[in-house]
Amino acid sequence: MTMKKTMSFVAFCLALFAPVAGAYEYPLQFTPNPGYRGLVVAGYQFQGSDVVGNCSYYTVSVSSVKGGGGGHTVKHYDQTCMWDLHGNLVSVTPGAPVVPHPLSISGTKTIYAIAANGDTTGSDSKLPGRGFVSTQGGHYTWLTPMNNAVLKQVVYNLVTTLKSDGDVPISE
């Protein structure tokens, strides 16, 4: 295999596995209706390979009445959401779940559930109105220097060095 093909293959593999090997804490994704207020997004429990929690908010609309009087209407969206372990929204169901007692509070994070494998879910005040799911996984740093030299087109071995800086060690 030529050096160019080898480097292309390595770059392809890194691009392919970067989302898996990258950060392992994901925000719980949810987009409320325009004009929302009081958004609450939090993971409360693990259900199989999904996270179940709250995705509630309300909207206020102003109406004018003939004769100068006006009023407003508040509409509540109390909902239960389900997300996958990467924080992607899977489903929305009417009716908000009961807020459980936190298992722990660490800095800005409130943890509501811990799975048997160590995954956690909850809410983070650094992420306004957002919950999170933190999954165990490998994360690595590329230590091999990246030289921008023009390489000769000959066959040779390329040795790379990766360092584990995540939850799971890198094995050969």
Side-chain angles (χ1 to χ4, degrees):
M1 189 182 285
T2 66
M3 179 59 182
K4 186 175 183 180
K5 286 183 182 178
T6 302
M7 291 302 289
S8 296
F9 177 73
V10 169
F12 171 76
C13 287
L14 287 174
L16 180 66
F17 295 112
V20 174
Y24 41 89
E25 182 169 299
Y26 304 96
L28 299 177
Q29 302 295 317
F30 180 75
T31 305
N33 290 327
Y36 70 90
R37 296 181 186 180
L39 177 63
V40 175
V41 176
Y44 292 158
Q45 65 179 323
F46 288 97
Q47 195 173 74
S49 62
D50 292 321
V51 172
V52 177
N54 198 341
C55 56
S56 299
Y57 63 98
Y58 66 94
T59 59
V60 177
S61 59
V62 178
S63 60
S64 60
V65 179
K66 214 176 207 180
H72 63 277
T73 304
V74 177
K75 183 168 183 181
H76 290 269
Y77 296 87
D78 298 324
Q79 304 170 131
T80 298
C81 283
M82 184 178 289
W83 297 270
D84 66 17
L85 293 180
H86 295 273
N88 299 309
L89 185 63
V90 174
S91 66
V92 179
T93 307
V98 175
V99 180
H101 291 287
L103 297 178
S104 68
I105 297 174
S106 176
T108 61
K109 292 182 186 174
T110 301
I111 297 172
Y112 290 107
I114 300 175
N117 65 356
D119 293 352
T120 60
T121 189
S123 62
D124 190 342
S125 62
K126 276 195 319 191
L127 305 169
R130 296 286 181 155
F132 70 91
V133 58
S134 181
T135 59
Q136 300 291 314
H139 183 260
Y140 61 87
T141 303
W142 180 282
L143 298 176
T144 306
M146 302 282 284
N147 295 332
N148 293 329
V150 176
L151 302 173
K152 294 180 184 178
Q153 299 223 355
V154 295
V155 176
Y156 60 93
N157 290 331
L158 174 67
V159 178
T160 61
T161 305
L162 299 176
K163 175 186 173 190
S164 174
D165 57 3
D167 300 316
V168 179
I170 295 175
S171 60
E172 295 179 15

